[in-house]
Amino acid sequence: MDEPWDTFEGRALFLSAGYPGHKRFSDPEKQEENRRFVADSLPERIREAVVQLAQAAFAKGVTIVFGGHPSISPIIAGAATRLGPLKSGDAPRIVLYQSQGFAREFTAAARQLAQRDDTVLVVTPKVGEREENLLLMRQRMLGAVVRPSQPFVGAVFAGGMDGIYAEARLFNETWPERPMFALGATGAASRVLAEHGLDAFGMPASRFAGDSKLHEPDLFRKPRWRSIAAAIAATP
């Protein structure tokens, strides 16, 4: 029997992931939330999840769309580097979004990705302060894919902080019929989504099809990954 990936070749999968890091906030509640994200983060599992997702997607011609998080770009670049050049007519393997408002923060890995022939770089304009720039980038990122006739087949969330919540809300608003998978075993914001959801936005934990009891380090070569692929493949 064909692997589930074979049924949605040429479509796009949204990835929202990141390694939580210490930040300073004037709001005590935000500062405490940041502390919890960092304490609960599982970097090795986040990395393994992204590596396995990228390798599985690229092998089946599925495009990964993501926001170029500084900690995730090097992992995606490494997975793509192991592959040969694209064949004529193939969809890009990667669509990388960045905001001009963060031009000074473009990482070497993001620049390396942008120079690849299998990557499309989309830079959204600077429109104001940090949050305004992030919102515009996310709206563009989740409202258009490489081939508009080939919609997102789903979204995967790993690790991360409050940006994971923002992207989960926007994906849910834009693609309410598409599955969302929060990998609770990677910790941090994705664990919160898997265990509790975002009830304030009408998104219970069941919306994320998560499994916080997952402890396998090889996240995507085990039955859990096959269930994700099968569920995405079953969407209309």
Side-chain angles (χ1 to χ4, degrees), residues 43-233:
E44 287 303 314
R45 289 186 182 177
I46 296 170
R47 180 184 182 282
E48 183 66 13
V50 174
V51 167
Q52 296 296 338
L53 176 68
Q55 290 178 346
F58 296 157
K60 294 300 182 180
V62 176
T63 300
I64 287 184
V65 179
F66 78 114
H69 191 286
S71 66
I72 301 302
S73 292
I75 303 173
I76 297 292
T81 299
R82 299 183 180 92
L83 303 171
L86 283 179
K87 297 178 181 178
S88 177
D90 284 354
R93 294 185 178 116
I94 303 161
V95 178
L96 170 66
Y97 275 80
Q98 300 271 260
S99 168
Q100 191 61 45
F102 304 103
R104 294 183 179 180
E105 301 176 29
F106 284 8
T107 63
R111 296 180 189 279
Q112 177 188 353
L113 272 176
Q115 293 172 358
R116 294 179 55 87
D117 65 359
D118 59 1
T119 299
V120 172
L121 172 65
V122 181
V123 180
T124 57
K126 181 178 180 179
V127 293
E129 299 302 319
R130 175 183 177 84
E131 292 306 315
E132 294 172 301
N133 291 325
L134 279 173
L135 178 59
L136 176 63
M137 185 195 76
R138 286 167 173 155
Q139 288 174 331
R140 296 276 182 88
M141 178 168 60
L142 291 173
V145 294
V146 181
R147 296 177 177 177
S149 62
Q150 301 287 345
F152 279 109
V153 295
V156 174
F157 302 87
M161 299 194 293
D162 54 350
I164 293 279
Y165 298 160
E167 292 180 353
R169 292 198 301 269
L170 188 55
F171 187 92
N172 186 61
E173 292 170 4
T174 310
W175 304 91
E177 77 287 3
R178 299 298 176 184
M180 301 166 68
F181 298 93
L183 300 180
T186 59
S190 294
R191 188 193 301 278
V192 176
L193 293 182
E195 295 183 351
H196 305 290
L198 288 174
D199 285 336
F201 296 90
M203 301 165 67
S206 59
R207 174 68 177 103
F208 297 94
D211 182 0
S212 62
K213 298 179 176 62
L214 178 68
H215 296 295
E216 299 159 330
D218 198 359
L219 295 176
F220 294 103
R221 290 178 183 162
K222 301 291 184 181
R224 170 62 179 154
W225 168 239
R226 290 195 292 274
S227 71
I228 292 176
I232 292 176

Side-chain angles (χ1 to χ4, degrees), residues 3-67:
E3 285 294 319
W5 279 101
D6 293 325
T7 67
F8 50 88
E9 181 174 351
R11 290 188 275 171
L13 183 68
F14 177 60
L15 171 65
S16 182
Y19 292 123
H22 292 284
K23 293 184 177 181
R24 291 182 178 275
F25 294 92
S26 57
D27 183 340
E29 290 187 6
K30 294 291 290 182
Q31 193 66 62
E32 174 59 20
E33 181 183 58
N34 176 254
R35 185 199 66 77
R36 291 197 302 269
F37 284 151
V38 174
D40 191 46
S41 176
L42 296 166
E44 287 303 314
R45 289 186 182 177
I46 296 170
R47 180 184 182 282
E48 183 66 13
V50 174
V51 167
Q52 296 296 338
L53 176 68
Q55 290 178 346
F58 296 157
K60 294 300 182 180
V62 176
T63 300
I64 287 184
V65 179
F66 78 114

